[in-house]
Amino acid sequence: MKLSLGIDAGGTYTDAVIVENSKNEILASSKALTTYPDPLEGIRNVLNSLDQSILGQVEIVSVSTTLSTNTILEGTGFPVGLILVGDYHISTNLPTEHYVQVSGGHDHRGAQANPLDEDAVRKFALRVKDKVAAFAVSSYFSIRNHEHELKVKEIVRKSTGMPVVCAHELSQDLGAFERAVTAFFNAQLIPITEKFMTSVESEIRSRGMDAKIFMLKCDGSVIGIKNALEKPIESIFSGPAGSLVGASFLSKRDSCAVIDVGGTSTDVSVIYDGVPQMSDAGAVVGGWKTRVKAIKMETSALGGDSDIWVGAAKMTIGPRRVIPLCRAAVKYPEFLEQLTNNPMPSRGIIGMNFQPTKFFIRTDYEPIDLSNYEAELLEAISKTPTSIREIRNRLNKLPTNKHLDMLMQKRLIQPINFTPTDALHALGDYTEYSVEASRIGAQHLGSMCRMEGKEFAEHVKNEFTKNMAADLVSFFLEDNSKEEVRKTFDTNSPIKFKIEIPVVLIGGPVIAYLEGMRKLIDAEMILPEFASVGNAAGALAAKGVRRVEMLIRPVSMAAPDWEFYMYSEKGRESFDEYEEAVEHALRLGDETIHKYMKDANMDSDSVKIEVKKDELFMENSNTLIETRIVVLGVAEHNEKDE
């Protein structure tokens, strides 16, 4: 009997399932709170709660996580220095204040457009090295020629000794700015992902388990741990990808839409005939377009741990994730009294950070690049819940919103406040933690909206349900904004949206929203057994996938039959004959896939290879303009008993 272990480290809970491979049967499942900022304790807790005799037989471990997604959504990644090489026309804000644009880059054929300004690269690296944790470089048309990106990488490493991520290592798609953003986020996530995966591997090995370890990617496939550490950006949306594959697995529906309600976000996706629908563009997260291939998904910063605050008698949900009052009251015994006696802030300062239910705690992260005031403010916040009044008394003045936000962005403090999870506790729909803390919080915030506590909690639940429904409908109605769709649920109308495929709900206490969704949407709503650990099940149901893309073009259209360039992730190569270029492309694709599967600890001999070849000819002519070749390899990582 071969067993596999699936782990999903979400924003709120860490889930685990053990599956018997030959029957695809779940033998055991468990949940534990995700520990912040270091997830190791949460992973250890969830593994401790499983049957240790069964756990010791596990041969495959597959992990999914919302860690990368939440880091980008919350803006809490490590600082990165971004180097743009070439003629970038920047019409929008960049994701970092530490950036430089230098001369260099290539044209669409891979020929050098301008020499690389090596001195400017070196000066920038030395200037910001003490302010960043890594560097990212994106060169114009680096997908046609990697030379300048590789040279920048060499210069920065020699000058600083710090990690450098090149855009061409992550994507072969056009879109220079999007590749730059992709490289930036990858560099930002390296320290976080490395710590996470190292924690997972060390915990697995410490239990004497000699298992292969995989990580779920955002396209619904799995990747070996070595590759996961090199390209952590590919793990964004791996949690939702896991829920999609897991929902199909648990509900036994090859085609279905999925709503995954997590601690930080709600995600909608769809799978048809067992294949996740992919996004035509790259993944979009936190408003940033990337060139990472991912499942098509509608995501919103709306989860069970979303911050609920009241300003000008109006209630707002999110986008920040906080510790719910009900959990804080369990973890900190004196918190209930603090919450009960916390005064109402004056009207002049009411806002997201200034609420009668808002508290802050200090984390274990080491401070980096703090101003004097930030250091003073951090010192005023304890490792137990600290109110704004306590902070003011210690500083002899009110803290500023700006500096509280900066400390949260740097992961040095974490807020506590009322959440949708608290609303469910106050209503009695979900009572795992302190119901009393949630009821007190509902009363405090309800009074600001001229509502009773229970009425306020019901209002939060209804708004959350409507937002879920709007996420689902706007996913399918691409030309209609989510805001316009959302308005339809506030009108008294006999019109109802109908969805022809089943809708599967995945997440913790998602059952609390089931009846509300049925009232709003005409669809078969399914809440499968083990819905609360759907992501962990999906991590095991996924397959190993490697896609290699190549482009062949004539060197000159004046002589289109004489010489050809082949562009790939390996760079630009020249061939005298077209057939020679095609043969090389197919061989490169096959070799790259088998090496990838071998490095990922998969059975490379069982890989299934598919080749797609598209030729484009000049109009009304036999002259070949370009050939696109895609080699796709698929392997099972979840071996069956023979």
Side-chain angles (χ1 to χ4, degrees), residues 538-590:
L540 289 177
K543 299 178 180 180
V545 178
R546 180 66 159 93
R547 180 187 179 97
V548 184
E549 300 180 18
M550 288 145 292
L551 177 68
I552 300 173
R553 284 178 172 171
V555 171
S556 171
M557 291 309 299
D561 299 326
W562 286 4
E563 188 180 4
F564 297 86
Y565 283 144
M566 191 197 81
Y567 305 100
S568 73
E569 59 193 60
K570 300 293 183 182
R572 187 183 73 174
E573 299 175 82
S574 299
F575 299 90
D576 294 331
E577 302 290 339
Y578 173 72
E579 289 76 14
E580 184 185 2
V582 171
E583 288 176 9
H584 181 75
L586 296 176
R587 186 166 56 251
L588 175 63
D590 188 85

Side-chain angles (χ1 to χ4, degrees), residues 143-173:
I143 60 171
R144 300 290 182 254
N145 193 320
H146 313 335
E147 179 186 6
H148 285 181
E149 285 189 359
L150 294 174
K151 187 61 181 178
V152 169
K153 187 174 189 175
E154 178 188 343
I155 293 170
V156 174
R157 279 185 167 175
K158 284 184 177 179
S159 301
T160 68
M162 299 174 73
V164 185
V165 173
C166 294
H168 79 267
E169 298 169 336
L170 304 168
S171 172
Q172 290 297 301
D173 291 340

Side-chain angles (χ1 to χ4, degrees), residues 104-393:
H106 294 78
D107 64 19
H108 68 284
R109 293 184 178 275
Q112 180 174 276
N114 290 291
L116 175 65
D117 189 344
E118 298 182 15
D119 191 49
V121 172
R122 191 173 294 106
K123 286 180 179 178
F124 170 75
L126 292 172
R127 186 174 77 246
V128 304
K129 68 182 180 67
D130 294 329
K131 300 178 181 180
V132 301
F135 287 85
V137 53
S138 180
S139 178
Y140 213 67
F141 272 115
S142 63
I143 60 171
R144 300 290 182 254
N145 193 320
H146 313 335
E147 179 186 6
H148 285 181
E149 285 189 359
L150 294 174
K151 187 61 181 178
V152 169
K153 187 174 189 175
E154 178 188 343
I155 293 170
V156 174
R157 279 185 167 175
K158 284 184 177 179
S159 301
T160 68
M162 299 174 73
V164 185
V165 173
C166 294
H168 79 267
E169 298 169 336
L170 304 168
S171 172
Q172 290 297 301
D173 291 340
L174 290 170
F177 182 79
E178 289 80 4
R179 288 199 311 276
V181 170
T182 305
F184 166 81
F185 283 128
N186 199 76
Q188 190 179 65
L189 294 168
I190 284 175
I192 297 167
T193 305
E194 183 173 14
K195 185 173 184 179
F196 172 73
M197 290 306 290
T198 300
S199 297
V200 172
E201 185 174 28
S202 64
E203 184 61 27
I204 294 298
R205 302 302 179 219
S206 70
R207 294 170 180 267
M209 298 165 60
D210 186 24
K212 297 178 181 179
I213 303 176
F214 300 91
M215 190 168 186
L216 192 68
K217 294 166 57 181
C218 54
D219 62 359
S221 67
V222 288
I223 186 174
I225 185 172
K226 176 182 175 183
N227 300 87
L229 293 176
E230 292 174 354
K231 299 181 180 181
I233 186 68
E234 292 185 342
S235 71
I236 60 171
F237 299 151
S238 75
S243 73
L244 176 59
V245 178
S248 177
F249 171 78
L250 294 174
S251 65
K252 295 179 171 53
R253 304 297 179 98
D254 289 337
S255 297
C256 61
V258 178
I259 302 178
D260 175 20
V261 181
T264 305
S265 63
T266 293
D267 309 301
V268 180
S269 52
V270 67
I271 188 168
Y272 293 113
D273 297 324
V275 179
Q277 184 175 3
M278 301 297 292
S279 171
D280 293 333
V284 179
V285 56
W288 293 103
K289 293 182 179 180
T290 74
R291 280 294 177 257
V292 179
K293 297 188 185 303
I295 60 171
K296 181 184 176 185
M297 181 172 59
E298 177 84 21
T299 186
S300 60
L302 179 79
D305 292 353
S306 290
D307 190 12
I308 294 179
W309 56 282
V310 177
K314 179 183 177 182
M315 185 270 292
T316 299
I317 305 178
R320 184 172 287 150
R321 173 182 176 270
V322 299
I323 299 172
L325 301 176
C326 57
R327 286 214 304 272
V330 171
K331 186 171 183 179
Y332 306 102
E334 298 178 359
F335 178 67
L336 197 59
E337 184 179 350
Q338 283 181 278
L339 176 64
T340 303
N341 299 323
N342 200 39
M344 181 74 68
S346 63
R347 288 186 177 274
I349 66 168
I350 286 287
M352 184 185 293
N353 291 327
F354 298 91
Q355 298 279 297
T357 51
K358 183 66 66 82
F359 295 79
F360 298 90
I361 57 170
R362 184 170 178 169
T363 71
D364 293 327
Y365 265 102
E366 287 296 322
I368 298 177
D369 192 30
L370 294 185
S371 67
N372 290 336
Y373 181 78
E374 287 173 346
E376 185 181 0
L377 176 56
L378 182 61
E379 187 63 29
I381 298 173
S382 307
K383 290 197 172 184
T384 55
T386 310
S387 67
I388 289 294
R389 180 175 63 174
E390 290 172 304
I391 297 172
R392 182 192 61 194
N393 291 341

Side-chain angles (χ1 to χ4, degrees), residues 16 56 65 95 105 116 146 197 212 231 233 306 343 372 396 402 455-456 483 496 523 533 535 554 570 588 614 626 631:
T65 179
L116 175 65
H146 313 335
M197 290 306 290
K212 297 178 181 179
K231 299 181 180 181
I233 186 68
S306 290
N372 290 336
N396 292 319
K402 174 185 175 181
E455 181 186 5
F456 179 78
E483 290 71 26
K496 200 173 187 181
V533 291
N535 293 23
K570 300 293 183 182
L588 175 63
D614 291 323
E626 68 176 30
V631 183

